[in-house]
Amino acid sequence: MTARTISAAIVALRSGQVTATQLLDEAIAVADRYDEQLGIYLARFDDAARAAAAAADKAYAAGDPAGALLGIPLGIKDIITTVEGPTTAQSLVHDSAWGDQQDAPVVSRLRSAGGVITGKTTTMEFATGLPDPAKPFPIPRNPWNPDHWTGGSSSGTGNGVAAGAFLGGLGTDTGGSIRGPAAFCGISGIKATFGRVPKSGCVPLGYSLDNIGPMARSARDCAIMLTVLAGYDASDPCAVDEPVPDYEAALTGDLSGLRIGVDPLAEHRRGDQDPMLGELLEAALAVLAERGASVVPVELPYYRELTAATGITSRSEAFAYHAPDLRSRWEDYFAATRQGIGAAPAYSGADYVQAQRVRRVGQREVAALFETVDLVVTPTASVAAFAIDGLAEAGMERFRAMHTSYWNAVGNPALSVPMGFGATDLPLGLQIMGRPFDEATVLRAGDAYQQVTDWHLAEPSTAGRTTVGV
């Protein structure tokens, strides 16, 4: 595309170097060429998007470019409602009238900021499980190598940004579903503090874990989007009425005085991992130190217990939502959805209560940890994207490889940014966590890292640059 990042596109739009219609035409051309192969979209809104882009061009021409995202093409994960059409949750089971086809608060905020909604992107069924070739939905594929997965469940937003089908988009994150696809597709994505972004108008998976958040090429892009998305909305009982800063204004590039904790015994040091992981992580930490931060050893408290608590909580809360349909429409669900949510009755009410007690203890211990450090850094995952063939057989190894769900249990903000390529030439991600409601410092660290690295600007062989999957 003419501009690879939202921040660059905004500069180009405001200077008249490019029009919103030109940006959208480039995005549509990418989708026309690669959508069928990569499985980016479930529905495209080309006509409505063209009208929105034309309106943005009129605003720029009139010298009235109000809106932080005016003219920016954006994709929406298809578990979030939009006025253009039904929200399918990529499922045969889901009621197409759910949400009454209204914009979710986050979509309304993007539109109010001038965003151009290009369509609804692929996900995993109800934002859980795995692709199912037996069902009539696209299989999301990684633009770096279409034989590999995007990660889930914000799959189409992840590969759409990486391929250039739009410049940013919305994902959701219950156990890592923003950060996993961001890492596997070589882009950036942030799960804000639980309650920071309203999640009404989003098909629920785990009521006490779900988050909506931005995915884009850079941490700066995520900061621009999060400033628009964040803030209280009475329609979400979990929303927190906390002041929202200008996140982009916090991106100084200077990390002087910040203490960054790294756990030398963390899970990514054990078991299977990409041969390049250690080297890339050390290089990333060195960059953060060069920007002024001090790196100190820490121990993440109750890592196994909190990770298990996320699993118990998400499955139990999902079963509470799906129980009637699971009983009456079992075969209509994806196989992996049946396996995951269908196993929830094995947990007792006492198990669920105990998981919440573990989460509360974990929150206190993590808060104590953040009295000694400002940020914590880990890999987003120990490995790069899994091959699609054999994905189901990978089983628990897929979950052990991810280092995301711990932070859903405690609710802290967590950002994934690209930190290089692994042994199979697929992207690996760096995960940065901070104190509750301190997304500004998390984003500042991610942006400082990206000011002196260019992993986030690397592009797969799509959008006419070469070929993909040939």
Side-chain angles (χ1 to χ4, degrees):
M1 296 187 72
T2 301
R4 288 180 287 176
T5 64
I6 291 173
S7 57
I10 290 170
V11 171
L13 285 163
R14 290 176 178 172
S15 68
Q17 293 175 310
V18 69
T19 67
T21 297
Q22 288 171 333
L23 279 181
L24 179 64
D25 285 345
E26 292 180 5
I28 288 174
V30 171
D32 286 344
R33 184 171 182 183
Y34 295 110
D35 185 21
E36 184 175 356
Q37 182 182 15
L38 296 179
I40 298 169
Y41 281 112
L42 284 171
R44 288 169 56 179
F45 306 147
D46 290 0
D47 291 342
R50 286 193 171 99
D57 286 333
K58 287 183 180 179
Y60 280 112
D64 183 27
L69 295 167
L70 186 63
I72 301 298
L74 303 169
I76 308 297
K77 183 177 180 179
D78 195 27
I79 63 167
I80 302 170
T81 57
T82 62
V83 295
E84 287 88 351
T87 299
T88 72
Q90 197 152 336
S91 177
L92 297 172
V93 178
H94 190 57
D95 181 0
S96 62
W98 188 91
D100 197 25
Q101 298 180 23
Q102 298 298 308
D103 278 345
V106 286
V107 176
S108 293
R109 291 175 180 183
L110 293 178
R111 287 196 210 273
S112 295
V116 175
I117 307 303
T118 63
K120 304 292 281 294
T121 62
T122 53
T123 176
M124 301 300 96
E125 183 183 36
F126 292 109
T128 189
L130 294 171
D132 190 338
K135 296 296 190 288
F137 296 102
I139 303 294
R141 295 178 179 272
N142 197 305
W144 294 95
N145 183 340
D147 291 332
H148 288 249
W149 191 33
T150 56
S153 62
S154 304
S155 308
T157 307
N159 68 1
V161 170
F166 34 81
L167 291 179
L170 294 183
T172 65
D173 194 310
T174 304
S177 289
I178 287 173
R179 291 159 289 156
F184 285 174
C185 293
I187 66 167
S188 304
I190 185 169
K191 176 197 82 68
T193 308
F194 182 76
R196 172 64 100 178
V197 177
K199 55 186 174 60
S200 43
C202 177
V203 180
L205 177 61
Y207 296 99
S208 68
L209 298 166
D210 293 342
N211 300 264
I212 300 175
M215 301 171 72
R217 282 202 174 273
S218 69
R220 181 171 294 270
D221 290 354
C222 289
I224 294 168
M225 289 186 67
L226 187 60
T227 302
V228 171
L229 295 168
Y232 177 74
D233 191 287
S235 64
D236 179 6
C238 297
V240 178
D241 192 0
E242 185 80 12
V244 178
D246 181 343
Y247 291 113
E248 188 181 16
L251 307 181
T252 63
D254 183 12
L255 302 182
S256 298
L258 291 184
R259 288 168 60 85
I260 297 178
V262 179
D263 188 348
L265 299 178
E267 292 292 300
H268 64 82
R269 301 289 189 182
R270 309 171 188 152
D272 292 341
Q273 66 180 51
D274 190 284
M276 296 294 294
L277 183 71
E279 178 182 332
L280 291 174
L281 179 60
E282 292 301 320
L285 293 171
V287 170
L288 296 173
E290 289 168 5
R291 304 299 282 178
S294 57
V295 179
V296 298
V298 297
E299 181 178 352
L300 295 178
Y302 299 112
Y303 189 93
R304 292 183 182 275
E305 292 85 352
L306 285 164
T307 299
T310 297
I312 293 168
T313 302
S314 62
R315 285 186 174 186
S316 299
E317 292 179 355
F319 184 74
Y321 183 82
H322 287 282
D325 284 332
L326 282 168
R327 295 187 184 102
S328 63
R329 302 188 62 181
W330 178 260
E331 293 298 329
D332 286 336
Y333 279 91
F334 283 25
T337 313
R338 296 195 299 264
Q339 182 180 19
I341 301 177
Y347 300 124
S348 67
D351 292 330
Y352 179 81
V353 170
Q354 185 66 5
Q356 308 322 302
R357 295 176 65 195
V358 168
R359 292 175 68 187
R360 299 300 171 264
V361 171
Q363 286 173 336
R364 290 195 294 269
E365 292 296 317
V366 169
L369 170 64
F370 276 105
E371 291 178 0
T372 66
V373 296
D374 300 290
L375 299 168
V376 170
V377 166
T378 72
T380 310
S382 296
V383 298
F386 296 92
I388 290 176
D389 287 346
L391 187 58
E393 289 73 23
M396 286 304 296
E397 185 54 39
R398 290 183 288 105
F399 299 102
R400 283 192 291 266
M402 304 303 298
H403 307 294
T404 53
S405 64
Y406 179 93
W407 301 100
N408 293 85
V410 295
N412 292 54
L415 167 73
S416 182
V417 296
M419 68 170 176
F421 292 84
T424 57
D425 293 325
L426 292 169
L428 291 169
L430 177 72
Q431 187 179 211
I432 305 170
M433 284 66 62
R435 299 183 182 96
F437 300 103
D438 192 16
E439 293 87 5
T441 301
V442 172
L443 289 161
R444 174 155 60 104
D447 176 69
Y449 174 73
Q450 290 179 336
Q451 286 188 24
V452 292
T453 63
D454 60 1
W455 300 118
H456 62 293
L457 298 178
E459 297 178 283
S461 51
T462 56
R465 285 173 281 276
T466 54
T467 56
V468 61
V470 176

